[in-house]
Amino acid sequence: MTITLTVEAPVHKPTAKGSKPGFDEIVWQAWKSLELPEGYRAEIIEGAIEVSPTGSKRHSKVSYRLRKALQAYLDSAYVVDNDMNICHEYKTFIPDCYISREDDEDYMSDDGLSLDASAVELVAEVVSPGWDGTTRDRQRKRRAYARAGIPVYILIDDYDLHGTVTIMTSPSPTEAVYQAAIRVPYGKEAAIPEGAAKGFVITEAITGPARD
């Protein structure tokens, strides 16, 4: 289940130097002030703070297998990680897996709590169950990652038919869409066509077999 926290937008959004903060910055400050219990995380997606629990055992296993396989595949110029706030223009996301350059220190926030999206080469999400989880990963995050210009978005989805892998590329930030995508069922190979992990193949060794 996801809890969405909304902030009422001001009638006017001041832009002059020294004026009051705009709506996006107000939401950002509210997000930074949250104190969540262990096992929960908060993201800012399309103007709202979304609080959701961490994934199930199955969810964790799939994301771990993906991270481990990607790290073995990549050269030393790149790292694979998770549980990091990826930020873009007062929005923040916590992907299940992401790739950035090893030398990404210049893209970290001063407090070390977030990484600018411009340093990210790839993000991946393992879809969570329920309407909230599926629409967040399939729709809202898809648009958000495209707006941020992240080159590759991988979606591992147990709840699409008997399980599918979708690899999206060629983001258009102004349109908030990925202009190219391949979608294959579990059990068939899904190869990343471009970017830092070009040629990496997602198989059922990562996803598991087709779901009942």
Side-chain angles (χ1 to χ4, degrees):
M1 181 181 71
T2 300
I3 300 172
T4 302
L5 309 176
T6 57
V7 179
E8 185 177 351
V11 176
H12 301 289
K13 183 177 180 180
T15 56
K17 184 177 180 180
S19 61
K20 294 181 180 179
F23 173 64
D24 287 343
E25 188 174 354
I26 292 170
V27 175
W28 174 263
Q29 293 297 335
W31 170 80
K32 289 180 70 175
S33 70
L34 287 176
E35 295 184 11
L36 298 176
E38 185 176 353
Y40 287 83
R41 62 184 186 177
E43 302 171 281
I44 304 175
I45 305 172
E46 299 193 328
I49 300 172
E50 298 195 16
V51 179
S52 57
T54 53
S56 65
K57 184 68 173 178
R58 153 79 183 166
H59 184 284
S60 298
K61 280 182 131 179
V62 173
S63 59
Y64 171 76
R65 289 195 293 255
L66 177 61
R67 293 195 307 273
K68 184 178 178 181
L70 278 170
Q71 190 64 74
Y73 181 84
L74 296 171
D75 64 42
S76 59
Y78 297 96
V79 294
V80 184
D81 214 336
N82 68 322
D83 289 336
M84 170 58 75
N85 300 309
I86 306 299
C87 296
H88 173 70
E89 295 181 350
Y90 294 120
K91 307 298 187 295
T92 186
F93 325 107
I94 308 175
D96 292 319
C97 172
Y98 72 90
I99 295 174
S100 66
R101 296 196 64 86
E102 173 69 32
D103 55 350
D104 60 6
E105 290 82 3
D106 290 344
Y107 297 90
M108 294 294 297
S109 62
D110 292 340
D111 58 12
L113 295 179
S114 59
L115 178 69
D116 193 88
S118 61
V120 176
E121 303 285 338
L122 174 152
V123 290
E125 299 286 359
V126 180
V127 176
S128 299
W131 185 87
D132 286 333
T134 56
T135 56
R136 179 178 64 249
D137 293 335
R138 293 174 186 169
Q139 299 177 28
R140 298 193 298 279
K141 277 198 167 182
R142 182 174 185 157
R143 293 191 295 263
Y145 288 144
R147 284 192 190 97
I150 294 175
V152 180
Y153 178 27
I154 296 173
L155 197 64
I156 298 177
D157 192 343
D158 281 358
Y159 309 99
D160 181 18
L161 301 176
H162 297 290
T164 62
V165 176
T166 303
I167 301 175
M168 291 156 270
T169 55
S170 301
S172 173
T174 56
E175 299 173 304
V177 298
Y178 282 93
Q179 299 179 93
I182 58 173
R183 175 172 165 267
V184 301
Y186 286 4
K188 292 191 176 181
E189 295 185 346
I192 298 176
E194 59 184 68
K198 181 178 180 180
F200 177 82
V201 178
I202 300 172
T203 68
E204 65 178 18
I206 292 171
T207 66
R211 310 282 284 174
D212 294 331

